[in-house]
Amino acid sequence: MFAALTYLDMFAIAWFALCYFGYDWAVQLGPLKDREGLVAAIQKRRVQWMLECARRDVRIMDSQLLMNLSSGNAFFASTSVLVLGALTAMLGAADNVKQRLEQLPYVVDVPLVVWEFKILFLMALVIRAFFKFAWAFRLTHYLGTMLGAMPPWEATTAVQCEKHAIKTAQLASIAATHSNDGLRTIYFAIAGLGWFLHSVVFIVGCGWVLAIVYRREYASRALMAIKEEDAEHVG
């Protein structure tokens, strides 16, 4: 299988790995580690949310918000399973699909084994996304348990309640991190569809996705609206 790959295919795989794993490294350990992005800004709002929740006597609204978060992760997890099933069917009929797609202009003619490798590549990404969304979905259930276990706000329990609220916000951040990783994986899987047309399309698609992810995280209007120092200026 690997012997059938061209040098351009190998470069496309290396470029994908650099964009996909390199971005994660840059955010967690690299040059973007100390730069406040959308994830860090929204985490401050989660802490603020949980502290306000701790002071409320009735927390029905907070439970509804958690249900919405849980349903979103469940939707993406179930969608990933459907896409995985479609890719499995495509793998079973790879020869037929290959012949039909290669009738289109500008579609490169490749050996069947390379075509199957590309399908397996997409399947691996979708499987990774599924596990990310499924774990985020489960964490939101734990988050609901933490919310239900939050003690009522009283003068004698204020410190305990505040600590519990901060831990709940930390758990919400972990769930959101896995959900964001799943979404980013889906983004790159969409770029991987271009590989069926040409390796250059896949390379350009990975760079395009990387630029979108970076812009939304560090240069978006959503970040300006969420950041504490700029929120008061947003109309």
Side-chain angles (χ1 to χ4, degrees):
M1 179 182 295
F2 292 102
L5 294 175
T6 65
Y7 288 111
L8 190 58
D9 288 328
M10 295 179 182
F11 177 79
I13 296 174
W15 175 245
F16 160 80
L18 180 63
C19 292
Y20 184 78
F21 297 105
Y23 177 82
D24 197 35
W25 171 84
V27 171
Q28 297 186 12
L29 302 173
L32 300 178
K33 179 181 179 181
D34 298 327
R35 183 174 177 180
E36 183 178 9
L38 193 60
V39 173
I42 199 64
Q43 176 57 20
K44 293 181 180 179
R45 295 301 183 182
R46 289 193 191 98
V47 175
Q48 181 183 1
W49 171 26
M50 289 303 164
L51 290 176
E52 292 295 329
C53 172
R55 293 178 173 85
R56 282 194 281 267
D57 295 330
V58 180
R59 297 162 180 166
I60 297 178
M61 179 186 69
D62 306 288
S63 301
Q64 292 293 329
L65 291 174
L66 289 181
M67 288 181 61
N68 292 335
L69 295 175
S70 179
S71 61
N73 290 322
F75 168 78
F76 283 113
S78 59
T79 302
S80 299
V81 173
L82 295 177
V83 173
L84 184 61
L87 289 174
T88 303
M90 184 177 176
L91 183 63
D95 192 14
N96 186 26
V97 177
K98 174 179 178 294
Q99 292 179 3
R100 291 182 179 274
L101 188 60
E102 287 178 351
Q103 293 176 359
L104 299 175
Y106 308 111
V107 177
V108 62
D109 185 10
V110 298
L112 180 60
V113 65
V114 175
W115 186 272
E116 292 173 340
F117 175 77
K118 294 176 181 180
I119 298 176
L120 291 174
F121 173 78
L122 288 183
M123 290 177 66
L125 291 180
V126 174
I127 291 173
R128 176 177 172 82
F130 166 76
F131 278 105
K132 288 291 184 178
F133 289 127
W135 182 234
F137 174 72
R138 191 172 182 180
L139 287 178
T140 52
H141 282 215
Y142 298 156
L143 190 58
T145 302
M146 292 287 288
L147 182 64
M150 188 176 296
W153 186 274
E154 297 176 358
T156 56
T157 61
V159 176
Q160 178 186 359
C161 195
E162 182 175 339
K163 290 182 179 180
H164 188 90
I166 293 176
K167 288 184 178 181
T168 305
Q170 291 174 347
L171 182 60
S173 176
I174 296 173
T177 298
H178 285 281
S179 182
N180 290 336
D181 289 344
L183 284 174
R184 187 169 68 250
T185 303
I186 293 297
Y187 293 160
F188 279 98
I190 293 175
L193 291 175
W195 200 7
F196 291 100
L197 301 178
H198 200 282
S199 299
V200 175
V201 179
F202 181 33
I203 294 171
V204 174
C206 288
W208 175 64
V209 169
L210 181 64
I212 289 178
V213 171
Y214 175 82
R215 180 191 173 279
R216 290 181 177 178
E217 179 67 25
Y218 295 102
S220 63
R221 290 178 295 176
L223 175 61
M224 296 299 103
I226 293 173
K227 288 177 66 173
E228 292 183 355
E229 59 268 24
D230 297 327
E232 60 183 9
H233 300 296
V234 177

